[in-house]
Amino acid sequence: MLARTMARYYIGGFIGGLLLAALAALLWPLPEHHRFRSLIDVLPNGGRAETFVIRWPQDRLELPGDFLVGDRVARAAALGLMVLEDERDGRVSAELFRLRDSAGNVIGVAARMAIAPPAGARSTTDWLLVIPSRGSLALRQLDSRDLAARRISRGGASWASPALDDSRVWAGRSRMTASAGPVAGMRGSVLHGNGEFRGMTGRHTETWTVDERLPDGFARGRILIETEMQRSSE
């Protein structure tokens, strides 16, 4: 008898909780993601151009600590990147960033996966741009040089260093085109997307610029991802 009474209370409480949750959802609806006006230029050929911006290093997002990938340990630095090295397969690095529009508004996140194969092969980069209110966009490019992050060991210490902070990449210049193909004109390719970007293909250019050089040898700057897209049916 006691067990039956407890079961009624349990079922009644569960159903009452569902009703209260539904009522709360009606009275206090979940907030919608704020959408900034899309800054898109229409091209003469019927396509569209849009520029995405990443400010570095402040737009880097932190990753979790060490974790196991297969039988190898991938180490994540506090500055927000992961480097996985293998003597046979080369080096892979992953970074996460806030993604902005050309006006500087944060509109989503961007994931960069750079692959530096063993010597003699071309470094490549894949980008995934995710904009919650619009969809996601996948990009791929050949790199103008080895742009994957690397692990540096010095004085018994080891840390991950992004290519953006490597002085050898800049070599006294303040602007560099990071993409180098496979599309003509040192442009990468827009592979596909979903949501608003479903069916989109085209090309993109990734450019790095330095805005300020700091006394400690590092710099502040921007990654510009300039896209030209059209629907594959056009």
Side-chain angles (χ1 to χ4, degrees):
M1 184 68 177
L2 179 61
R4 187 176 301 174
T5 302
M6 293 299 294
R8 288 198 190 102
Y9 281 137
Y10 176 80
I11 296 173
F14 179 75
I15 294 175
L18 290 178
L19 293 174
L20 286 175
L23 181 61
L26 290 174
L27 295 177
W28 296 285
L30 294 175
E32 296 183 0
H33 181 81
H34 177 70
R35 172 167 178 166
F36 291 97
R37 182 173 63 88
S38 301
L39 304 179
I40 299 172
D41 294 324
V42 178
L43 299 175
N45 63 0
R48 59 192 236 180
E50 186 170 3
T51 298
F52 302 99
V53 181
I54 296 169
R55 297 175 183 170
W56 59 274
Q58 59 265 43
D59 280 343
R60 288 195 183 112
L61 299 177
E62 292 187 4
L63 295 175
D66 295 357
F67 52 95
L68 192 64
V69 179
D71 58 350
R72 295 165 291 182
V73 173
R75 302 187 183 278
L79 51 74
L81 67 87
M82 181 271 284
V83 181
L84 179 64
E85 294 180 295
D86 185 276
E87 293 181 358
R88 179 189 60 192
D89 299 329
R91 183 174 69 259
V92 177
S93 66
E95 297 175 84
L96 289 175
F97 303 92
R98 297 181 188 90
L99 183 68
R100 302 175 185 267
D101 60 19
S102 56
N105 301 308
V106 177
I107 57 174
V109 294
R112 175 189 177 99
M113 179 81 69
I115 303 173
R122 179 70 71 88
S123 170
T124 61
T125 291
D126 289 341
W127 281 99
L128 179 62
L129 313 182
V130 180
I131 306 173
S133 59
R134 298 174 60 189
S136 60
L137 192 62
L139 315 175
R140 177 168 294 168
Q141 69 187 37
L142 298 174
D143 297 331
S144 58
R145 56 173 300 164
D146 178 3
L147 299 180
R150 66 268 297 157
R151 293 200 62 78
I152 298 176
S153 299
R154 196 173 299 155
S158 178
W159 66 92
S161 176
L164 284 163
D165 288 336
D166 188 345
S167 59
R168 294 171 298 179
V169 169
W170 297 107
R173 54 189 170 181
S174 59
R175 183 180 178 89
M176 185 189 73
T177 301
S179 53
V183 182
M186 299 184 72
R187 298 183 176 185
S189 59
V190 176
L191 298 180
H192 53 78
N194 63 19
E196 178 184 314
F197 303 105
R198 186 178 302 277
M200 288 289 187
T201 58
R203 53 194 180 185
H204 76 276
T205 302
E206 180 185 342
T207 307
W208 298 356
T209 64
V210 171
D211 295 329
E212 179 186 7
R213 297 189 183 276
L214 305 177
D216 58 6
F218 295 98
R220 298 185 185 277
R222 290 166 294 156
I223 302 173
L224 303 178
I225 302 175
E226 301 168 282
T227 65
E228 294 181 4
M229 298 178 285
Q230 61 281 324
R231 297 202 178 276
S232 55
S233 58
E234 293 180 356

